[in-house]
Amino acid sequence: MSLAGTIETAEEYSTIRLGLCRAYELLHGIASDDAFLVRQPEESGGTAMVFCARPDKSCALLILGRLDLSRERPNPTDLLENLVKTVAKCVDEISERAGVTIRFQVMQPELAMQDFDS
C-alpha cells in the first residue's frame, strides 16, 4: 500500500534530504529519487515502511509486507483504526525528524492486494 502527498515547507529539498539522511537509512535502487527506510520489519511485526521523496517535494510512504494487527483486537473496525494510528505515528516521526509538514492526499491499496489470498 502507498500513500502519496507533498512535503510542505519553504526549505530547499537539499536541506530536507540532509535531515532525512541523518535520521534514516538511505536505500538505493528502490525509487527513482530518494527512499529512506523509516521502519524496519522487526520493529513493526514484519512490515517495512519506506518514505520516498523527490526534489519537487512530492513524497510517498510505502507500507511493504504484512501489517498484522489482528492479534491485538479481532474487530475489523479496530484493525483499520490501528492501521491509521500506525501510519500517523510514522508520519509524525518523519515530520519531526525532517522538520517539515507532510500531507498525504492519495492512497493506493492495490499494491498490497496481490497477497490478499495467501
Side-chain angles (χ1 to χ4, degrees):
M1 179 168 63
S2 67
L3 300 167
T6 58
I7 300 170
E8 297 179 351
T9 183
E11 298 277 347
E12 292 292 322
Y13 180 71
S14 57
T15 303
I16 299 165
R17 185 179 192 275
L18 186 61
L20 289 167
C21 285
R22 277 191 226 129
Y24 302 108
E25 177 185 348
L26 181 61
L27 302 173
H28 300 283
I30 298 253
S32 58
D33 290 295
D34 293 325
F36 302 90
L37 183 61
V38 295
R39 283 277 157 74
Q40 301 275 349
E42 53 274 2
E43 293 173 2
S44 50
T47 303
M49 293 193 186
V50 176
F51 181 71
C52 300
R54 298 172 41 135
D56 66 1
K57 298 182 187 172
S58 60
C59 63
L61 180 66
L62 308 177
I63 302 170
L64 308 171
R66 187 178 297 256
L67 187 59
D68 185 9
L69 302 170
S70 62
R71 62 182 169 246
E72 295 174 15
R73 293 182 254 173
N75 184 332
T77 303
D78 292 337
L79 286 173
L80 292 175
E81 286 177 14
N82 285 337
L83 172 62
V84 169
K85 286 178 186 176
T86 300
V87 169
K89 183 178 176 181
C90 186
V91 171
D92 288 345
E93 176 188 299
I94 297 166
S95 294
E96 183 179 316
R97 289 187 175 195
V100 298
T101 300
I102 299 169
R103 301 264 187 243
F104 289 112
Q105 294 100 5
V106 178
M107 182 174 81
Q108 297 174 296
E110 67 275 2
L111 295 175
M113 295 305 288
Q114 63 187 341
D115 292 328
F116 186 69
D117 294 329
S118 55

